Structure formats: C-alpha cells, structure tokens
Amino acid sequence: MVTALGLLGTAVLAVSAGASSGFAQATLRDGTGAAVGTVRLSVMGPGKVMVRASVWGLPPGFHGFHIHGVGDCSGTGFATAGTHFVGTGGAHATHAGDQPVLLVNADGTGSATFVTDRYAIEDLFDADGSALIVHALADNYANIPTRYATSGTSGPDTATLGTGDSGSRLACGEIALTP
C-alpha cells in the first residue's frame, strides 16, 4: 500500500556487497542541502525489497519517485544523477527504477510503503552507483493513449517515454553501502 513516498538526500545502505539480506537507509536532501525526509530499503526475501519513506517540507501533491542510474547528487538540479535506473526494463514505466508516486499532503508531509521485485539492493551498486530522486511533478508512467497527439504525432512523446513527464528534480540521495 502506498500512502505517500519521498526519496531525497543521502541514502545509506547497510548491506554487504552481494548479500541477499540487509537494509538501506537514506536521509533525503533538497537542493539547498536541507534534510527533507528518510527512506529505508529492506530485503524482504528472495527477489523483494520493501521501501519505506517519510518526507517533510515538500510541495503538496503527487511527485515522481525514481532510482536514477548514477550515484552523484552534486550537480545543479541533480542532473549528475543521470537518467532512470533501467535494470532489465525497457521504456519508461518498465524501468527498474520506476516506483509509485509520492503523495505529499497540504502540510508538506508524506509517507509510503511498498514492496518491489524490480531490483535487488545489490543491483544499485554498479561502477557509478545509483541515486534516489523526488521530482516536482507526478509521474504518468508514459500512459498517454495513442489517440492523443503531440506536435502532430500520436501517443507519448520522447519526454513522456523517458521520464513520465515528472518534471524537475526536487531532491536527491546518493545510495551508499554502510558497514
């Protein structure tokens, strides 16, 4: 069940490389470096990871929430985090890093819990790592019917197929292993 989820800031994983059990914990940060939430990723058995998030100080509404393919949150607007973590997925909505949207309440708080089988914690630690991103807009999961037209072309455009039109990046957290 997803209530409201947010991933921003520094992610810390307490799991050995290659381990099949463990957990990850994140302190989520916005563009000013302020902490705006926490996230915990826990192995829930073979092939499943539970994600629990709690956020505060974010704009109300639905926000795209993704794992991105580079563990670097240093750039302006967090562009250094790269694109969505693809894993074995193809186009947007099947990227391994695509997750349920985060609902932030009118008071800027939100929380969410869900279980995913799209990635294992170990998958997030390739040569350049991974990062957690909370976007400014909701993710439409590239769900644009072919009857809609963009610039004379039917169906989703390139931005929708790549990002689900989730907008700019509000927060970022580099995922890191801890002892």
Side-chain angles (χ1 to χ4, degrees):
M1 177 177 109
V2 175
T3 50
L5 183 57
L7 279 146
L8 324 166
T10 305
V12 180
L13 292 180
V15 65
S16 303
S20 61
S21 64
F23 69 92
Q25 190 166 327
T27 300
L28 309 173
R29 301 190 182 278
D30 65 14
T32 70
V36 294
T38 60
V39 177
R40 183 177 175 102
L41 290 82
S42 304
V43 174
M44 294 300 296
K48 298 210 174 153
V49 175
M50 177 180 281
V51 179
R52 294 179 191 196
S54 178
V55 298
W56 55 88
L58 294 178
F62 289 104
H63 298 275
F65 172 55
H66 307 114
I67 294 177
H68 283 242
V70 179
D72 183 355
C73 296
S74 63
T76 302
F78 308 120
T80 51
T83 59
H84 292 181
F85 173 70
V86 175
T88 59
H92 183 70
T94 61
H95 293 149
D98 292 342
Q99 302 182 113
V101 294
L102 164 65
L103 174 60
V104 176
N105 298 306
D107 67 358
T109 66
S111 64
T113 301
F114 64 90
V115 176
T116 183
D117 63 359
R118 291 184 171 216
Y119 56 84
I121 291 175
E122 300 84 31
D123 297 339
L124 306 177
F125 295 97
D126 59 4
D128 58 4
S130 300
L132 303 167
I133 297 284
V134 174
H135 290 270
L137 303 173
D139 188 330
N140 64 19
Y141 304 107
N143 185 21
I144 306 296
T146 57
R147 70 180 179 272
Y148 293 100
T150 303
S151 302
T153 303
S154 295
D157 61 15
T158 303
T160 298
L161 291 173
T163 68
D165 295 325
S166 52
S168 63
R169 301 167 185 197
L170 293 179
C172 182
E174 297 172 9
I175 301 171
L177 290 174
T178 61

